[in-house]
Amino acid sequence: MNKMEKALNELGHMDELAVQESPVHAMNAGAKLLCTVIYILVVMSFNKYDLSGLIPMLLWPVFMYQMSGIPVRTCFYKLRIVLPLVMAVGLFNPIFDREIMLHIGNIGVSGGVISMLTLMLKGVLCLMASFLLVATTPFDNICAALRRVHFPAMLVTLLLLTYRYVGVMTEELAVMTDAYHLRAPGQKGIHVSAWGSFLGQLLLRSMDRAQELYSSMLLRGYHQHFHYAPIKPFKFSDAVFLILSIAFFAIVKYVNVSELMGMFLVR
Amino acid sequence: MIAFENVSFAYESGEPVIRDMSFRIEDGEAVGLIGANGAGKSTIMKLLLGLVQGEGRILVDETEVNRDNLSTIRHKLGFVLQNSDNQMFMPTVYEDMMFGPLNYMVSREEADKRVDEILDRLDLQHLKHKYNHKISGGEKRMAAIATVLAMEPEAILMDEPTSALDPYNRRIVINTIKELSQTKIITSHDLDMIMDTCSRVILISKGSIVADGKAEDILSDKELLEANHMELPLSLSRNG
């Protein structure tokens, strides 16, 4: 199995995760979507030096992962390629912002280090929350929920088809990579001299397949409108979940829970 | 009823692929379209389905195929693609089968019932909630046929339905095709399958009809087949 096929399997695995049974999976897709969006907005709104205030926000995804039965390590494993990029954000802050803001023992910690850690944590938290949404909600349901909140139909269809076509492109890439390696034994990766034609071929082949798929859709009556599977109804428990989650976000946002706990422990 | 009346077609700035072609297929007929690679078989399917537009008249139930009635025409004609991977684009077999009926405004309950009936008929209930990328090639081909049947078409068009299948799955697909009561148009190089499933054969070469008649007559005519880059079906060549 080559890397592309593995990637394809991982994509398929996401669909499988999304249809498992758990209290989180059973929730209304709209409630989960709204909660995730609010969570991300709240996380992003924290001041870049407010690391201690941000840390309690970690509790929400950890709790939700527990409830959904999806191990947190699955999230980190699946996002292993994106995570380093997110972590790299703010990497240069310690160089530009050297003002000492606090001391741990005799060691001074600069504002740059704190803001770097805050940015990293923000990135990780947003990714964890987004992954949780996708891993507990079938993609069609997310799209259906987006339509419910009147997100433009064209954009939602584009999102759904992109999700589907990623698989098509990966399949083509897998076939081409296999064909290349069978005639280039012992070679690691694809030689730079073949990149141009490789990409060109990939594009042409993907377009051909996309055209076939689109024809197949047209032949079965598709007319720019997807009939999404009905999503689970919005229940009382979804309202309670939303209210509790938003209340938690508000408390963490406006009350420095870490500081309070620290003060309580010191006393 | 499906009719081609003096139909011609050429891809942009190229040689004509279909040349002044005329034929008529009555309701309930099973017709095999055979010919060498590039003869124009797949183009006939595309013309019929309105995926490409040519000159001349194409009639489906006395209605001329044109841009305005494509939706109606496509509802009447179910098309099984050669590559089932291109046909199955929804995550699961069930969702793929629901796609067509829902687009044609069949209620979800009715579509659900249809899906179950077809899966029962084809003995495919075990595939209902399977992921398309997880089923075998043979299962995928059967599922692709099921997605088309879910639309309850009046005629079924199939492009190489037995290609890349092992003998066991090939036999299952052939038996399924034989049981379908709709009008069938099948393009294939698998002449044994055509012999098994079609009563009439149209032999095409360079965009024109070379022969049109009973399957047993055309498929046993060694000279005719060889002149058009084909061979006798294995079952006939073995019998001498």
Side-chain angles (χ1 to χ4, degrees):
Chain A
M1 190 186 287
N2 70 23
K3 278 183 189 171
M4 294 305 141
E5 282 166 334
K6 277 184 190 162
L8 205 61
N9 275 350
E10 281 195 28
L11 203 65
H13 185 228
M14 287 303 295
D15 284 332
E16 286 165 34
L17 279 180
V19 290
Q20 287 180 357
E21 283 180 16
S22 80
V24 182
H25 287 83
M27 282 177 194
N28 172 270
K32 280 187 275 185
L33 177 70
L34 186 63
C35 210
T36 307
V37 171
I38 295 173
Y39 177 81
I40 290 172
L41 288 176
V42 173
V43 165
M44 296 313 289
S45 71
F46 274 84
N47 185 287
K48 66 176 178 175
Y49 298 121
D50 195 4
L51 181 61
S52 64
L54 184 63
I55 289 171
M57 286 300 279
L58 190 61
L59 292 174
W60 187 78
V62 169
F63 174 74
M64 294 297 283
Y65 274 92
Q66 285 298 314
M67 291 279 285
S68 67
I70 295 172
V72 179
R73 67 169 182 276
T74 308
C75 163
F76 289 118
Y77 178 73
K78 297 268 185 202
L79 299 175
R80 63 192 179 281
I81 296 170
V82 192
L83 273 171
L85 297 175
V86 171
M87 303 288 270
V89 176
L91 211 58
F92 294 107
N93 286 18
I95 299 168
F96 298 113
D97 184 356
R98 294 180 182 184
E99 192 185 337
I100 301 297
M101 292 193 75
L102 63 95
H103 286 86
I104 300 175
N106 290 331
I107 305 166
V109 181
S110 70
V113 170
I114 295 173
S115 66
M116 178 188 74
L117 292 175
T118 309
L119 281 174
M120 282 178 177
L121 185 59
K122 278 184 180 183
V124 171
L125 292 179
C126 291
L127 278 180
M128 281 177 82
S130 311
F131 181 83
L132 183 75
L133 174 70
V134 178
T136 57
T137 321
F139 203 75
D140 286 30
N141 288 10
I142 296 176
C143 292
L146 284 169
R147 282 298 296 136
R148 286 272 175 90
V149 293
H150 300 286
F151 209 73
M154 188 64 88
L155 287 179
V156 177
T157 306
L158 203 65
L159 197 66
L160 185 67
L161 291 181
T162 306
Y163 183 71
R164 296 251 186 281
Y165 281 99
V166 165
V168 173
M169 266 186 93
T170 316
E171 270 177 30
E172 289 300 334
L173 198 55
V175 172
M176 285 174 64
T177 318
D178 276 344
Y180 180 88
H181 286 302
L182 286 171
R183 285 182 290 156
Q187 203 179 98
K188 274 194 175 180
I190 290 151
H191 193 266
V192 68
S193 63
W195 283 10
S197 55
F198 205 83
L199 276 176
Q201 277 293 324
L202 177 66
L203 183 69
L204 291 174
R205 291 168 68 122
S206 304
M207 278 168 68
D208 273 352
R209 280 206 62 185
Q211 185 62 48
E212 278 265 292
L213 273 168
Y214 186 59
S215 294
S216 167
M217 290 164 73
L218 287 179
L219 294 176
R220 286 194 275 156
Y222 175 71
H223 38 77
Q224 278 82 46
H225 176 68
F226 253 99
H227 294 269
Y228 300 102
I231 55 177
K232 294 179 178 93
F234 189 85
K235 301 185 293 285
F236 177 70
S237 56
D238 295 314
V240 172
F241 159 74
L242 254 181
I243 292 166
L244 288 179
S245 296
I246 293 170
F248 172 76
F249 302 157
I251 290 169
V252 177
K253 169 73 185 157
Y254 294 108
V255 181
N256 194 325
V257 180
S258 306
E259 200 176 294
L260 269 181
M261 283 179 72
M263 283 165 63
F264 178 73
L265 288 171
V266 169
R267 271 180 204 165
Chain B
M1 182 279 301
I2 290 165
F4 267 48
E5 293 179 358
N6 308 105
V7 176
S8 297
F9 175 76
Y11 288 102
E12 275 174 36
S13 66
E15 282 279 295
V17 184
I18 302 293
R19 297 162 197 263
D20 199 26
M21 187 176 281
S22 298
F23 62 83
R24 190 180 168 90
I25 295 170
E26 299 301 334
D27 289 343
E29 264 193 294
V31 180
L33 290 180
I34 63 169
N37 289 333
K41 307 182 296 290
S42 298
T43 308
I44 293 175
M45 298 283 201
K46 285 183 182 172
L47 283 162
L48 194 48
L49 294 159
L51 291 173
V52 291
Q53 274 82 36
E55 290 166 21
R57 281 181 8 125
I58 300 170
L59 303 168
V60 175
D61 283 344
E62 307 298 342
T63 308
E64 187 172 346
V65 177
N66 60 44
R67 284 177 194 274
D68 300 328
N69 58 21
L70 282 182
S71 177
T72 318
I73 298 292
R74 288 170 179 171
H75 195 186
K76 290 181 178 182
L77 308 174
F79 185 42
V80 181
L81 275 72
Q82 180 177 359
N83 184 351
S84 307
D85 281 326
N86 292 347
Q87 181 126 19
M88 314 284 288
F89 47 82
M90 298 295 274
T92 64
V93 172
Y94 167 75
E95 286 166 89
D96 231 306
M97 288 182 73
M98 293 287 280
F99 183 83
L102 291 177
N103 278 330
Y104 281 107
M105 300 303 160
V106 175
S107 71
R108 197 164 273 280
E109 293 72 33
E110 171 62 25
D112 229 13
K113 218 170 98 188
R114 255 191 220 183
V115 167
D116 272 328
E117 276 171 16
I118 289 155
L119 289 174
D120 280 339
R121 178 144 59 99
L122 302 183
D123 201 15
L124 296 177
Q125 271 296 350
H126 60 288
L127 294 183
K128 186 174 178 182
H129 294 294
K130 287 260 174 82
Y131 286 96
N132 286 331
H133 66 277
K134 290 253 165 140
I135 59 179
S136 71
E139 288 174 331
K140 214 174 270 184
R141 192 63 55 88
M142 288 299 293
I145 295 173
T147 61
V148 168
L149 290 178
M151 291 170 59
E152 297 190 340
E154 290 171 18
I156 297 184
L157 284 61
M158 294 181 169
D159 194 4
E160 299 279 2
T162 53
S163 67
L165 291 184
D166 62 45
Y168 175 77
N169 282 305
R170 176 179 170 275
R171 181 46 57 190
I172 290 176
V173 170
I174 290 174
N175 289 341
T176 305
I177 295 172
K178 282 164 83 170
E179 281 169 20
L180 301 175
S181 57
Q182 289 94 335
T183 307
K184 285 166 276 190
I185 305 177
I186 304 169
T187 72
S188 185
H189 292 128
D190 180 353
L191 299 188
D192 287 279
M193 182 271 292
I194 293 286
M195 185 106 158
D196 246 8
T197 54
C198 301
S199 54
R200 178 180 161 196
V201 162
I202 299 177
L203 173 59
I204 295 154
S205 178
K206 292 174 186 165
S208 302
I209 294 176
V210 179
D212 180 352
K214 283 185 179 172
E216 58 263 35
D217 295 342
I218 293 178
L219 295 178
S220 59
D221 191 334
K222 193 176 176 200
E223 274 179 34
L224 175 69
L225 291 174
E226 285 182 354
N228 291 285
H229 302 267
M230 310 206 81
E231 285 181 339
L232 280 178
L234 277 176
S235 54
L236 289 184
S237 55
R238 254 193 245 117
N239 296 337

